[in-house]
Each structure stands twice: as structure tokens, then as C-alpha cells.
Amino acid sequence: MKSRKGVITTVWNEFRHEKASKEVAAIYPNGLHATIAEFLGKNDDIECRLACLDDPEHGLTDDVLDNTDVLIWWGHMAHDQVSDAVVDKVQDHVLRGMGLIVLHSGHNSKIFKRLMGTSCSLKWRDGARERLWCANPGHPIAQGLPEHFELDVEEMYGEFFDIPEPLETVFIGWFNGGEVFRSGVTFRRGLGNIFYFQPGHEANPTFHNENIQKVITNAVRWAAPVTKRPEIFCPCVEPLENV
């Protein structure tokens, strides 16, 4: 294993929109995953690597996952092209302690739906203005953020959001069409911390926003594992005492 610096974070992205759309490429010329890794990498306690759909094993080999503390996932147009075998591996690592941050349209990814056990469906439309309200100001993910902040343009996601009851609701989004959404929610599956964060449409400069960057940076630190299990098993054991 290489020398580690803080929280080892793998930023995964389909990296398809940036190749297919000049509009998206102008916002994220090296891919939105590179933009995320760039601002995260400015922190001395976070080290980033990149992975994308077209890499061998989608960039999520056993070695990569074994040495990842937090996995960030962004997907949209190619959810069905993600290998079930890779989803199995990611799920296993989450259950054993790896943190997972799912961004925007990753709500419809195989891994998020697998871990939630629901359809994760929602309402949506393009071109909305969003105001994000901090619903849990004492939460580590909300530290250093104002009571609310706005995004001039973002894709609207609206309730009903078909997810299990969250462990915590950190942010609530309001849109100028009147819709509301549980925009930042946490879960725990096995030993793994999971954070879903709604903003991040590929055609908008969302990941260049300082408040969005602060949320994701805080989330990486929050999701980092306290401990990891090398495997999940059900041993047969002798009693500690005979009473």
C-alpha cells in the first residue's frame, strides 16, 4: 500500500456527458470528477484519485477499493452499463466500512438503489433556481455553512423522494416552482456512512460553487470510516462462560 495522506477518496464519474456535449465540456473540461478532486485535493487531510465508467472494471478494482476510505459517485446517462459485479464489490466495501457519497442523479444508480432497497424515484425538471436550507446546523456536514444559500440554476428534484427514512436530514432544498426536496440526507449501512446530496446537474456550474464544495469536503471527512472489517462472516464460536 502506498503512503497515505488523510482520507483516501476515489471520485467516480461516468465521464460521458463531458465527451458528448460541448456545453458540459466547457464547464468541466477535464470531467466533473476532476473538478471535485481538484477542490478536495487542496485540503491537506484529503487525497484523491479518479475513476470512470470506461476504465477497466470501471476504475474500481479490488486494489482501488481496498485502499479507498470514501467513494464519491456521480452517474446519469449510463447507470445500466455499470457492471453488477462491481456493484457487488462496492456494496461489500460499504458494509465493511467504506464511506459513500452519492451526488445528484446518482440517486438512480444501481449501487444507491441496492443500498436503499427502494426505487429512489423523484420528480424533476430543468432550469430551476434553488435555495438550500440547513436543517441540521449542528451536523458535521453543515459546519462553516450559512443558514441558507442559493444556486442560480440547478435541476429541480422534488418530493416524493422514494428513499427509506434517513438517519439525518442535513439540507432541504426549495425551488422557485414551489417544490421542496430532502437535498442532503445520511444513512448507515453496516459500518458504512452514506451521504446523498442532490445538487450537481452536469449542465450547471454547481461544483464550482464554494458552498457546494464546502458541503462535499465536510461530507468526505464525515463519511471516512472509523474502522473497517476485512470481511463479513458469521463465525461459530464457543461460549465465553459456562453458567
Side-chain angles (χ1 to χ4, degrees):
M1 184 188 302
K2 70 175 183 176
S3 176
R4 304 181 71 135
K5 184 185 78 169
V7 182
I8 307 298
T9 304
T10 299
V11 187
W12 190 91
N13 173 27
E14 285 177 354
F15 201 25
R16 292 285 182 82
H17 288 279
E18 300 92 327
K19 297 176 181 178
S21 167
K22 292 181 179 179
E23 177 187 13
V24 178
I27 301 170
Y28 301 112
N30 298 313
L32 62 85
H33 55 324
T35 296
I36 294 170
E38 182 180 4
F39 70 72
L40 287 175
K42 294 177 181 178
N43 299 276
D44 290 340
D45 61 333
I46 299 174
E47 181 177 325
C48 290
R49 66 185 69 178
L50 303 179
C52 64
L53 180 64
D54 293 327
D55 291 338
E57 297 184 62
H58 309 324
L60 300 175
T61 63
D62 290 333
D63 181 65
V64 168
L65 289 172
D66 285 342
N67 293 286
T68 294
D69 295 316
V70 177
L71 175 63
I72 297 177
W73 191 283
W74 193 100
H76 186 191
M77 66 189 299
H79 295 309
D80 61 336
Q81 296 179 36
V82 176
S83 161
D84 289 338
V86 170
V87 174
D88 291 343
K89 289 198 299 183
V90 172
Q91 179 187 25
D92 176 66
H93 279 268
V94 171
L95 296 178
R96 293 196 283 113
M98 182 181 73
L100 178 66
I101 298 171
V102 177
L103 300 173
H104 192 58
S105 45
H107 75 90
N108 203 34
S109 64
K110 288 182 178 180
I111 184 58
F112 190 63
K113 292 195 289 187
R114 171 87 64 84
L115 289 165
M116 295 299 103
T118 58
S119 73
C120 300
S121 61
L122 46 78
K123 298 175 183 175
W124 66 277
R125 62 181 169 82
D126 287 332
R129 175 170 57 86
E130 180 176 9
R131 181 177 298 143
L132 281 148
W133 287 92
C134 180
N136 194 343
H139 198 280
I141 297 176
Q143 294 312 294
L145 288 154
E147 180 184 56
H148 63 81
F149 61 93
E150 294 196 5
L151 301 172
D152 291 336
V153 59
E154 184 49 80
E155 187 173 36
M156 187 283 293
Y157 280 6
E159 297 288 348
F160 170 63
F161 187 18
D162 185 20
I163 53 175
E165 187 66 24
L167 179 65
E168 302 148 316
T169 298
V170 186
F171 299 102
I172 295 174
W174 171 89
F175 298 86
N176 62 333
E179 302 92 350
V180 295
F181 191 72
R182 288 168 287 173
S183 293
V185 290
T186 71
F187 304 89
R188 185 166 293 114
R189 295 294 182 267
L191 296 179
N193 292 319
I194 301 171
F195 179 57
Y196 171 78
F197 192 45
Q198 161 264 317
H201 184 51
E202 69 279 355
N204 306 137
T206 302
F207 295 119
H208 294 290
N209 180 282
E210 291 185 359
N211 286 317
I212 296 297
Q213 293 179 1
K214 184 68 173 175
V215 172
I216 296 172
T217 302
N218 287 346
V220 166
R221 293 173 177 141
W222 170 84
V226 174
T227 185
K228 286 185 178 180
R229 289 182 180 173
E231 61 179 331
I232 298 172
F233 61 99
C234 299
C236 178
V237 299
E238 297 295 327
L240 291 176
E241 297 178 8
N242 291 310
V243 294

